[in-house]
Each structure stands twice: as structure tokens, then as C-alpha cells.
Amino acid sequence: AQTVTQSQPEMSVQEAETVTLSCTYDTSESNYYLFWYKQPPSRQMILVIRQEAYKQQNATENRFSVNFQKAAKSFSLKISDSQLGDTAMYFCAFMTRQGAQKLVFGQGTRLTINP
Amino acid sequence: DTGVSQNPRHKITKRGQNVTFRCDPISEHNRLYWYRQTLGQGPEFLTYFQNEAQLEKSRLLSDRFSAERPKGSFSTLEIQRTEQGDSAMYLCASVPDRASGELFFGEGSRLTVL
């Protein structure tokens, strides 16, 4: 079974700073996706960024980038030039490319961006 | 709004009562998922449908829980004889196909069992 671990329950930074959220996972699969999802207060969960395991290049989406270390099973999220709207719960998630394609989530990191 | 819609958004019930949640996925999304999220935790998979067929159920889905997706459109999740431990946010997500892997989530239905 796959597991996802986020070791930082809460983080807080000042607006415009850069912040990195950590995630490790465990799997015996070789073909999978990794995701970071954002869940703002009382709003639906939305995809921030996706990484396909076979791709060596780290994914980037505007201010969001990942550091994917496949051998170490590590998948961290870096948010550059943080904004107040980035305040949310962030979940790291794993999905195999076969079968049900269900997401396995970590426990989440509550990120607060302070003005 | 063409996103995933869930109703009701919040349900308060007494222990032992039955509750039903509804999820309307994005049109033409053939896969639909139900997750449960307790306070301070990440969502946990409950079950999923490919069109009208329920293809996998988590062991978290006890016999008090039943999910349906008639005609492969909206889905319902019913909890019978609710217990306080059922208090959680129930999330629905849909996806058009297997290609991208991204799930589109609704805002969730929060259940409080007194």
C-alpha cells in the first residue's frame, strides 16, 4: 500500500517570501503521478501542480515548482513570492496510473501567509 | 457554474438517523469518487464509479454506507444509523478519463452527528 507523509502540520511566512512544503511517499510502483492540492478555507480542493514519475524534469506552474527526488521518494513544493491568497491547507497526494487511480493523501500542511 | 456540485453542504443529525448526500459531477465525466475527510486530516478514499458501475470500495465503507450512481450521472451516498464517528466532510470528485490523473472536487458535504 502507498503512504504519503507530510511532516509539517503548520507553516507561516510573510507575504512575498518563498516557502517550501515537504512530502515523502512510499510505494513499490514505478509508474505514478504525484500532486499538490490546495484546499482554501471552506472552498473546494484544487490542483496546484502535477508530476509524472517517469519525467525527470521538475514541474513548474508560475510561482509553484516542485523538487521531485524519485530515488529518495521525496516531492516538495516551493511557492515563490507568496501571496495572501496562498493561505490554505496543502495536500501532497499520490496516484498510480493503473487500476482505480484513487488519490492517496498526506495529512496536510496548513500554510498561512501573513501581510 | 459547471463544477462538481454537492448537496447539502452541511447536515446536522442525531445519532441513529439516516442521511443522504448527493453529488452532481461535471458533465460527461465518467469517473466519480467519494472521499471522507476528518478534521485536520487528508481525505481518505471511500469508493468510485466508472459510469454507473461501482468498481471499488474501501474497507472504510462499512455496511451502513451505500453509494449509487444510477444512469452514470449524479451519485448518492447514504449513511444509515449514523454514529458520532461518521462526523466528517464527505467529498465528491469527478474525472473525465484516465489520461490526466487530475480529480475535480466539489466543496463537500459536512456531516455532524450529535
Side-chain angles (χ1 to χ4, degrees), chain B residues 80-91:
Chain B
Q80 296 181 328
R81 304 180 303 281
T82 52
E83 302 173 356
Q84 288 186 326
D86 297 332
S87 294
M89 177 76 83
Y90 290 86
L91 298 172

Side-chain angles (χ1 to χ4, degrees), chain B residues 40-57:
Chain B
Q41 299 296 316
E44 297 173 291
F45 170 80
L46 292 179
T47 188
Y48 96 100
F49 293 84
Q50 173 84 35
N51 298 312
E52 68 275 8
Q54 187 174 19
L55 297 185
E56 187 168 333
K57 295 192 292 186

Side-chain angles (χ1 to χ4, degrees), chain A residues 46-65:
Chain A
I46 57 173
L47 178 67
V48 174
I49 199 165
R50 175 181 58 217
Q51 175 79 41
E52 295 180 77
Y54 73 88
K55 291 186 177 179
Q56 292 186 339
Q57 185 172 6
N58 289 323
T60 62
E61 288 287 343
N62 301 313
R63 298 182 295 108
F64 299 88
S65 61

Side-chain angles (χ1 to χ4, degrees), chain A residues 44, chain B residues 1-6 23-26 29 32-33 91-95 103-108:
Chain A
Q44 72 262 48
Chain B
D1 184 29
T2 58
V4 177
S5 176
Q6 292 190 245
C23 171
D24 288 89
I26 294 172
H29 280 196
L32 184 149
Y33 297 78
L91 298 172
C92 177
S94 68
V95 60
L103 269 60
F104 295 83
F105 284 86
E107 294 188 11

